[in-house]
Amino acid sequence: RSPTRAGSSLEPEEHSMEPPAVPEEEMPLTTASGPEGCQLFGYVGIEAVLDQMKIKTMKMGFEFNIMVVGQSGLGKSTMVNTLFKSKVSRKASQPSQEERIPKTVQLQSVTHVIEEKGVKMKLTVTDTPGFGDQINNENCWDPIIKYINEQYERYLREEILITRKRKIPDTRVHGCVYFVPPTGHWLRPLDLEFMRRLSKIVNVVPVIAKADTLTLEERAEFKQRIQEDLKTHAISVYPQEDFDQDPDDRALNDRIREKIPFAVVGADQEHQVNGKQVLGRKTKWGIIEVENPAHCEFPLLRDLLIRSHLQDLKDITHNVHYESYRVRRLNESNRP
């Protein structure tokens, strides 16, 4: 048999049952399967991305927008000042008679830049004077719904531009704290209707205002009645059960949902108690410490809004409430 040139033989090739050899440089380091994934042979430094994100966030800062809703005299401005330990809520020093009771619901926003340990936060507080103060409160929530949707619309217009900003200014309301009057009875129709409408477009956190006017027994009964009302009318307040990501989140949020609505007390004056300066309200029979869990549930509200769920509030606003608004608006624009 005469030898032929390489690659030009007409004889059939012999196929072996063994898989073809893989070049050494293309072979994976390891192919560990299962939940652990790929096993590393040494230190890579993946967790350094957390430091990168922290440095970037500290340089850029972040935005947080909060709205407070409730009748006049429930301590909304004082509560916001207590929450951020600074005078961040706009309050007229000596309002005139006309300013005390607005004829319609007026929305007032004030923005501050707060810095703590190198972290900057652009905080916007929106107040709603005039809400629930009239004899006829029909549709008094309309200006609030309009304002929230206007912020979604503003963000959407920036987002759909062909040439858009690298960082779109975020004026969307991330959380709405609703102040329930401390009546000790049931929720009023105004409270139910407001939370029913607003919980569909924003994160609503109900609180019992000026809880120091109720005894501990009255407070517990009032809280239970409010929880029953919310369940009966299918009102989903923050944190919503539908958005729990994993069992750990559900366990944490279940403990929070048991406490909602938080019975809070606000104070912007310090008093001396046992040699320490504490925020509180001074009465004839003692001092109510707003940061003492035995006195009120203000620490729980602060932890929810700032220390544990601030980023979650922003994520749900963007991924759920804004997303539903965006889909609705784009569907409307695509209709013939």
Side-chain angles (χ1 to χ4, degrees), residues 48-117:
V49 70
L50 297 175
D51 296 330
Q52 298 172 34
M53 294 171 66
K54 180 179 178 182
I55 293 171
K56 186 175 181 180
T57 304
M58 291 179 69
K59 286 182 179 178
M60 297 179 61
F62 59 98
E63 297 156 320
F64 185 59
N65 308 316
I66 187 172
M67 174 183 282
V68 288
V69 183
Q71 285 180 297
S72 300
L74 292 180
K76 299 187 298 295
S77 300
T78 305
M79 176 57 60
V80 173
N81 291 340
T82 310
L83 201 59
F84 297 98
K85 293 191 176 180
S86 57
K87 303 288 184 180
V88 295
S89 183
R90 179 164 51 193
K91 193 175 182 180
S93 55
Q94 289 184 346
S96 62
Q97 185 64 31
E98 291 77 14
E99 291 175 339
R100 287 178 187 170
I101 305 179
K103 294 181 180 179
T104 58
V105 178
Q106 303 169 357
L107 281 85
Q108 301 175 350
S109 295
V110 58
T111 301
H112 298 273
V113 176
I114 302 176
E115 185 172 354
E116 183 181 39
K117 295 183 178 180

Coordinates of all heavy atoms in Angstrom, one line a residue, residues 48-117:
A48 N -13.7 42.1 47.9 CA -13.2 43.5 47.8 C -14.3 44.3 47.1 O -14.2 45.6 47.2 CB -11.9 43.6 47.1
V49 N -15.2 43.7 46.3 CA -16.2 44.5 45.6 C -17.1 45.2 46.6 O -17.6 46.3 46.3 CB -17.0 43.6 44.7 CG1 -17.9 42.6 45.5 CG2 -17.9 44.4 43.7
L50 N -17.3 44.7 47.8 CA -18.1 45.4 48.8 C -17.4 46.7 49.3 O -18.1 47.7 49.4 CB -18.2 44.5 50.1 CG -19.0 43.2 49.8 CD1 -19.0 42.3 51.1 CD2 -20.4 43.4 49.4
D51 N -16.1 46.6 49.4 CA -15.4 47.9 49.7 C -15.5 48.9 48.6 O -15.6 50.1 48.8 CB -13.9 47.6 50.0 CG -13.7 46.7 51.2 OD1 -14.5 46.8 52.1 OD2 -12.7 45.9 51.2
Q52 N -15.4 48.4 47.3 CA -15.6 49.3 46.2 C -16.9 50.0 46.2 O -17.1 51.2 46.0 CB -15.4 48.5 44.9 CG -14.0 47.9 44.7 CD -13.9 47.0 43.5 OE1 -14.6 47.3 42.5 NE2 -13.2 45.9 43.6
M53 N -18.0 49.2 46.5 CA -19.3 49.7 46.5 C -19.5 50.7 47.6 O -20.1 51.8 47.5 CB -20.3 48.6 46.6 CG -20.4 47.7 45.5 SD -21.4 46.2 45.8 CE -23.0 46.9 45.9
K54 N -18.9 50.4 48.8 CA -19.0 51.4 49.9 C -18.3 52.7 49.6 O -18.8 53.8 49.8 CB -18.3 50.7 51.1 CG -18.4 51.6 52.4 CD -17.7 50.9 53.6 CE -17.7 51.8 54.8 NZ -17.1 51.1 55.9
I55 N -17.1 52.6 49.0 CA -16.3 53.8 48.7 C -17.1 54.7 47.6 O -17.2 55.9 47.7 CB -14.9 53.5 48.1 CG1 -14.1 52.9 49.3 CG2 -14.2 54.7 47.6 CD1 -12.8 52.3 48.8
K56 N -17.7 54.0 46.6 CA -18.4 54.7 45.6 C -19.7 55.3 46.2 O -20.0 56.5 45.8 CB -18.8 53.7 44.5 CG -19.5 54.4 43.3 CD -19.7 53.3 42.2 CE -20.4 54.0 41.0 NZ -20.6 53.0 39.9
T57 N -20.4 54.6 47.0 CA -21.6 55.2 47.7 C -21.2 56.4 48.5 O -22.0 57.4 48.5 CB -22.3 54.1 48.5 OG1 -22.6 53.0 47.7 CG2 -23.6 54.7 49.1
M58 N -20.1 56.3 49.3 CA -19.7 57.4 50.1 C -19.4 58.6 49.3 O -19.6 59.8 49.7 CB -18.6 57.0 51.0 CG -19.0 56.0 52.1 SD -17.6 55.5 53.1 CE -17.3 57.0 54.0
K59 N -18.8 58.4 48.1 CA -18.5 59.6 47.3 C -19.7 60.2 46.6 O -19.9 61.4 46.6 CB -17.5 59.1 46.1 CG -16.1 58.8 46.6 CD -15.2 58.4 45.4 CE -13.8 58.2 45.9 NZ -12.9 57.7 44.7
M60 N -20.6 59.3 46.1 CA -21.8 59.8 45.4 C -22.9 60.2 46.4 O -23.7 61.1 46.0 CB -22.3 58.8 44.4 CG -21.3 58.4 43.3 SD -22.0 57.1 42.3 CE -23.4 57.9 41.6
G61 N -23.0 59.6 47.5 CA -24.1 59.8 48.4 C -25.3 59.1 47.8 O -25.3 58.5 46.8
F62 N -26.4 59.2 48.6 CA -27.7 58.6 48.1 C -28.8 59.5 48.5 O -28.7 60.4 49.3 CB -27.8 57.2 48.6 CG -27.9 57.0 50.1 CD1 -29.0 57.0 50.8 CD2 -26.7 57.0 50.8 CE1 -29.1 56.8 52.1 CE2 -26.7 56.9 52.2 CZ -27.9 56.8 52.9
E63 N -30.0 59.2 47.9 CA -31.2 60.0 48.1 C -32.2 59.2 48.9 O -32.4 58.0 48.6 CB -31.7 60.5 46.7 CG -30.8 61.4 46.0 CD -31.0 61.3 44.5 OE1 -31.3 60.3 44.0 OE2 -30.9 62.4 43.9
F64 N -33.0 59.9 49.7 CA -34.1 59.2 50.4 C -35.2 60.2 50.6 O -35.0 61.4 51.1 CB -33.6 58.7 51.8 CG -34.7 57.9 52.5 CD1 -35.3 56.8 52.0 CD2 -35.1 58.3 53.8 CE1 -36.2 56.1 52.6 CE2 -36.1 57.6 54.4 CZ -36.7 56.5 53.9
N65 N -36.4 59.9 50.1 CA -37.5 60.8 50.1 C -38.6 60.2 51.0 O -39.1 59.1 50.7 CB -38.0 61.0 48.7 CG -36.9 61.4 47.8 OD1 -36.0 62.3 48.1 ND2 -36.8 60.9 46.6
I66 N -39.1 61.0 52.0 CA -40.1 60.5 52.9 C -41.2 61.5 52.9 O -41.0 62.7 52.8 CB -39.5 60.3 54.3 CG1 -40.5 59.6 55.2 CG2 -39.0 61.6 54.9 CD1 -39.8 59.2 56.6
M67 N -42.4 61.0 53.0 CA -43.6 61.8 53.1 C -44.3 61.5 54.5 O -44.4 60.3 54.9 CB -44.6 61.5 52.0 CG -45.9 62.2 52.0 SD -47.0 61.8 50.7 CE -46.3 62.8 49.4
V68 N -44.8 62.5 55.1 CA -45.6 62.4 56.4 C -47.0 62.9 56.1 O -47.2 64.0 55.6 CB -44.9 63.1 57.5 CG1 -43.6 62.4 58.0 CG2 -44.5 64.5 57.2
V69 N -48.0 62.1 56.5 CA -49.4 62.4 56.3 C -50.1 62.3 57.6 O -50.0 61.3 58.3 CB -50.0 61.6 55.2 CG1 -51.4 62.0 54.9 CG2 -49.2 61.6 53.9
G70 N -51.0 63.2 57.9 CA -51.8 63.1 59.1 C -52.4 64.5 59.4 O -52.1 65.5 58.8
Q71 N -53.4 64.5 60.3 CA -54.0 65.7 60.7 C -53.1 66.6 61.4 O -52.0 66.2 61.9 CB -55.2 65.4 61.6 CG -56.4 64.8 60.9 CD -57.6 64.6 61.9 OE1 -57.4 63.7 62.8 NE2 -58.7 65.2 61.7
S72 N -53.4 67.9 61.4 CA -52.6 68.9 62.2 C -52.6 68.6 63.6 O -53.6 68.1 64.2 CB -53.2 70.3 62.0 OG -53.2 70.6 60.6
G73 N -51.5 68.8 64.3 CA -51.4 68.6 65.7 C -51.0 67.2 66.1 O -51.0 66.9 67.4
L74 N -50.6 66.3 65.2 CA -50.3 65.0 65.6 C -48.8 64.8 65.7 O -48.3 63.7 66.0 CB -50.8 63.9 64.5 CG -52.3 63.8 64.5 CD1 -52.7 62.7 63.4 CD2 -52.9 63.4 65.8
G75 N -48.0 65.9 65.5 CA -46.6 65.8 65.8 C -45.7 65.3 64.6 O -44.7 64.6 64.8
K76 N -46.2 65.6 63.4 CA -45.5 65.1 62.2 C -44.1 65.7 62.1 O -43.1 65.0 61.9 CB -46.3 65.3 60.9 CG -47.6 64.6 60.9 CD -48.3 64.8 59.6 CE -48.6 66.2 59.2 NZ -49.6 66.9 60.2
S77 N -44.0 67.0 62.2 CA -42.8 67.7 62.1 C -41.8 67.3 63.2 O -40.6 67.1 63.0 CB -43.0 69.3 62.1 OG -43.8 69.7 61.0
T78 N -42.3 67.2 64.4 CA -41.5 66.9 65.5 C -41.0 65.4 65.4 O -39.8 65.2 65.7 CB -42.3 66.9 66.8 OG1 -42.8 68.3 67.0 CG2 -41.4 66.6 68.0
M79 N -41.8 64.6 64.8 CA -41.4 63.2 64.6 C -40.2 63.1 63.6 O -39.3 62.3 63.8 CB -42.5 62.3 64.2 CG -42.2 60.9 63.8 SD -41.4 60.0 65.2 CE -42.7 60.1 66.4
V80 N -40.3 63.8 62.5 CA -39.3 63.8 61.5 C -38.0 64.4 62.1 O -36.9 63.8 61.8 CB -39.7 64.6 60.2 CG1 -38.6 64.7 59.3 CG2 -40.9 63.9 59.6
N81 N -38.1 65.5 62.8 CA -36.9 66.0 63.5 C -36.3 65.0 64.4 O -35.0 64.9 64.6 CB -37.2 67.3 64.2 CG -37.6 68.4 63.2 OD1 -37.2 68.4 62.1 ND2 -38.3 69.4 63.7
T82 N -37.1 64.3 65.2 CA -36.6 63.3 66.1 C -35.9 62.1 65.3 O -34.9 61.6 65.8 CB -37.7 62.7 67.0 OG1 -38.5 63.8 67.5 CG2 -37.2 61.8 68.1
L83 N -36.5 61.8 64.2 CA -36.0 60.7 63.4 C -34.6 60.9 62.9 O -33.7 60.0 63.0 CB -36.9 60.4 62.2 CG -36.9 59.1 61.5 CD1 -37.3 58.0 62.5 CD2 -37.9 59.1 60.4
F84 N -34.3 62.1 62.5 CA -33.0 62.4 61.9 C -32.2 63.3 62.8 O -31.1 63.8 62.4 CB -33.2 63.1 60.6 CG -33.8 62.2 59.5 CD1 -35.2 62.3 59.3 CD2 -33.1 61.2 58.9 CE1 -35.8 61.5 58.3 CE2 -33.6 60.4 58.0 CZ -35.0 60.5 57.7
K85 N -32.7 63.5 64.1 CA -31.9 64.3 65.1 C -31.4 65.6 64.6 O -30.3 66.0 64.8 CB -30.8 63.5 65.6 CG -31.3 62.2 66.4 CD -30.1 61.6 67.2 CE -30.7 60.4 68.0 NZ -29.6 59.7 68.8
S86 N -32.2 66.3 63.8 CA -31.9 67.6 63.3 C -33.2 68.3 62.9 O -34.2 67.7 62.7 CB -30.9 67.6 62.1 OG -31.4 66.7 61.1
K87 N -33.1 69.6 62.7 CA -34.3 70.4 62.2 C -34.5 70.3 60.7 O -34.1 71.2 60.0 CB -34.1 71.9 62.6 CG -33.9 72.1 64.1 CD -35.1 71.8 64.9 CE -34.9 72.1 66.4 NZ -36.1 71.9 67.2
V88 N -35.0 69.1 60.3 CA -35.1 68.9 58.9 C -36.5 69.2 58.4 O -36.7 69.3 57.1 CB -34.7 67.4 58.5 CG1 -33.3 67.2 58.8 CG2 -35.6 66.4 59.3
S89 N -37.5 69.3 59.3 CA -38.8 69.6 58.8 C -39.1 71.1 58.9 O -38.8 71.7 59.9 CB -39.8 68.8 59.7 OG -41.1 69.0 59.3
R90 N -39.7 71.6 57.8 CA -40.0 73.0 57.8 C -41.3 73.3 58.6 O -42.3 72.6 58.5 CB -40.3 73.4 56.3 CG -40.6 74.9 56.2 CD -40.5 75.4 54.8 NE -41.2 74.5 53.8 CZ -40.9 74.6 52.5 NH1 -40.1 75.4 52.0 NH2 -41.6 73.8 51.7
K91 N -41.2 74.3 59.5 CA -42.3 74.6 60.3 C -42.3 76.1 60.6 O -41.3 76.7 61.0 CB -42.1 73.8 61.7 CG -43.3 73.8 62.6 CD -43.0 73.0 63.8 CE -44.2 72.9 64.7 NZ -44.0 72.1 65.9
A92 N -43.5 76.7 60.3 CA -43.6 78.2 60.5 C -43.4 78.5 61.9 O -44.0 77.8 62.8 CB -44.9 78.6 59.9
S93 N -42.7 79.6 62.2 CA -42.4 79.9 63.6 C -43.7 80.5 64.3 O -44.1 80.1 65.4 CB -41.3 81.0 63.7 OG -41.7 82.1 62.9
Q94 N -44.4 81.4 63.6 CA -45.7 81.9 64.1 C -46.7 82.0 62.9 O -46.8 83.0 62.3 CB -45.5 83.3 64.7 CG -44.7 83.3 66.1 CD -44.6 84.6 66.7 OE1 -44.9 85.6 66.0 NE2 -44.2 84.7 67.9
P95 N -47.4 80.9 62.6 CA -48.3 80.9 61.5 C -49.5 81.8 61.8 O -49.9 82.0 62.9 CB -48.7 79.5 61.4 CG -48.5 78.9 62.7 CD -47.3 79.6 63.3
S96 N -49.9 82.5 60.7 CA -51.1 83.3 60.9 C -52.4 82.4 60.9 O -52.3 81.2 60.7 CB -51.2 84.3 59.7 OG -51.3 83.6 58.5
Q97 N -53.5 83.1 61.2 CA -54.7 82.3 61.3 C -55.1 81.6 60.0 O -55.6 80.5 60.0 CB -55.9 83.3 61.7 CG -57.2 82.6 61.9 CD -57.2 81.6 63.1 OE1 -56.4 81.9 64.1 NE2 -57.9 80.6 63.1
E98 N -54.7 82.3 58.8 CA -55.0 81.7 57.5 C -54.2 80.5 57.3 O -54.5 79.5 56.6 CB -54.9 82.7 56.4 CG -55.9 83.8 56.4 CD -55.6 84.9 57.5 OE1 -54.5 84.9 58.0 OE2 -56.6 85.7 57.8
E99 N -52.9 80.5 57.8 CA -52.0 79.4 57.5 C -52.2 78.2 58.4 O -51.8 77.1 58.1 CB -50.5 79.9 57.7 CG -50.1 80.9 56.7 CD -48.7 81.5 57.0 OE1 -48.3 81.4 58.2 OE2 -48.1 82.0 56.1
R100 N -52.9 78.4 59.5 CA -53.1 77.3 60.5 C -53.9 76.2 59.9 O -53.7 75.0 60.0 CB -53.7 77.8 61.8 CG -52.7 78.6 62.6 CD -53.4 79.2 63.9 NE -52.5 80.1 64.6 CZ -52.8 80.8 65.6 NH1 -54.1 80.8 66.0 NH2 -52.0 81.6 66.2
I101 N -55.0 76.6 59.2 CA -55.9 75.6 58.6 C -56.0 75.9 57.1 O -56.8 76.7 56.7 CB -57.3 75.6 59.2 CG1 -57.2 75.5 60.8 CG2 -58.2 74.5 58.7 CD1 -58.5 75.5 61.5
P102 N -55.2 75.2 56.3 CA -55.3 75.4 54.8 C -56.6 74.9 54.3 O -57.2 74.0 54.8 CB -54.1 74.6 54.3 CG -53.2 74.3 55.4 CD -54.1 74.3 56.6
K103 N -57.2 75.6 53.3 CA -58.5 75.3 52.8 C -58.4 74.0 52.0 O -59.3 73.2 51.8 CB -59.0 76.4 51.9 CG -59.3 77.7 52.7 CD -59.8 78.8 51.8 CE -60.2 80.0 52.6 NZ -60.7 81.1 51.7
T104 N -57.2 73.7 51.4 CA -57.0 72.5 50.6 C -55.7 71.8 51.1 O -54.9 72.5 51.8 CB -57.0 72.7 49.1 OG1 -55.9 73.7 48.8 CG2 -58.3 73.3 48.6
V105 N -55.5 70.6 50.7 CA -54.3 69.9 51.0 C -53.1 70.5 50.2 O -53.2 70.6 49.0 CB -54.4 68.4 50.8 CG1 -53.0 67.7 51.1 CG2 -55.5 67.8 51.6
Q106 N -52.1 71.0 50.9 CA -50.9 71.6 50.3 C -49.7 70.8 50.6 O -49.6 70.3 51.7 CB -50.7 73.1 50.8 CG -51.9 74.0 50.6 CD -51.7 75.3 51.3 OE1 -50.8 75.5 52.0 NE2 -52.7 76.2 51.1
L107 N -48.9 70.5 49.6 CA -47.7 69.7 49.8 C -46.5 70.6 49.8 O -46.3 71.4 48.9 CB -47.6 68.7 48.7 CG -48.5 67.4 48.9 CD1 -49.9 67.7 48.3 CD2 -47.9 66.2 48.3
Q108 N -45.7 70.5 50.9 CA -44.5 71.2 51.0 C -43.3 70.3 51.2 O -43.4 69.4 52.0 CB -44.6 72.1 52.3 CG -45.8 73.1 52.3 CD -46.0 73.9 53.6 OE1 -45.3 73.6 54.6 NE2 -46.8 74.9 53.6
S109 N -42.3 70.5 50.3 CA -41.1 69.7 50.4 C -39.9 70.5 50.8 O -39.8 71.6 50.3 CB -40.9 69.0 49.0 OG -41.9 68.1 48.7
V110 N -39.1 69.9 51.6 CA -37.8 70.6 52.0 C -36.7 69.6 51.9 O -36.9 68.4 52.3 CB -37.9 71.2 53.4 CG1 -38.3 70.2 54.4 CG2 -36.7 71.9 53.7
T111 N -35.6 70.0 51.3 CA -34.5 69.0 51.1 C -33.3 69.5 51.9 O -32.9 70.7 51.9 CB -34.1 69.0 49.6 OG1 -35.3 68.6 48.8 CG2 -33.0 68.0 49.3
H112 N -32.6 68.5 52.5 CA -31.4 68.7 53.3 C -30.4 67.7 52.9 O -30.7 66.6 52.4 CB -31.6 68.7 54.8 CG -32.6 69.7 55.3 ND1 -32.2 70.9 55.7 CD2 -33.9 69.6 55.5 CE1 -33.3 71.6 56.1 NE2 -34.3 70.8 56.0
V113 N -29.1 68.0 53.0 CA -28.1 67.0 52.9 C -27.5 66.7 54.3 O -27.0 67.6 55.0 CB -26.9 67.6 52.0 CG1 -25.8 66.5 51.9 CG2 -27.5 67.8 50.6
I114 N -27.7 65.5 54.7 CA -27.2 65.1 56.0 C -26.0 64.2 55.9 O -25.9 63.4 55.0 CB -28.3 64.3 56.7 CG1 -29.6 65.1 56.9 CG2 -27.9 63.8 58.1 CD1 -30.8 64.4 57.5
E115 N -25.0 64.4 56.7 CA -23.8 63.7 56.6 C -23.5 63.0 58.0 O -23.5 63.7 59.0 CB -22.6 64.5 56.2 CG -21.3 63.8 56.0 CD -20.2 64.6 55.3 OE1 -20.5 65.8 55.0 OE2 -19.1 64.1 55.2
E116 N -23.1 61.8 58.0 CA -22.8 61.1 59.2 C -21.6 60.1 58.9 O -21.8 59.2 58.0 CB -24.0 60.3 59.8 CG -23.7 59.6 61.1 CD -24.9 58.9 61.6 OE1 -25.6 58.3 60.8 OE2 -25.1 58.9 62.9
K117 N -20.5 60.2 59.5 CA -19.3 59.4 59.3 C -18.9 59.2 57.9 O -18.6 58.2 57.4 CB -19.6 58.0 60.0 CG -19.8 58.0 61.5 CD -19.9 56.6 62.0 CE -20.1 56.7 63.5 NZ -20.2 55.3 64.1

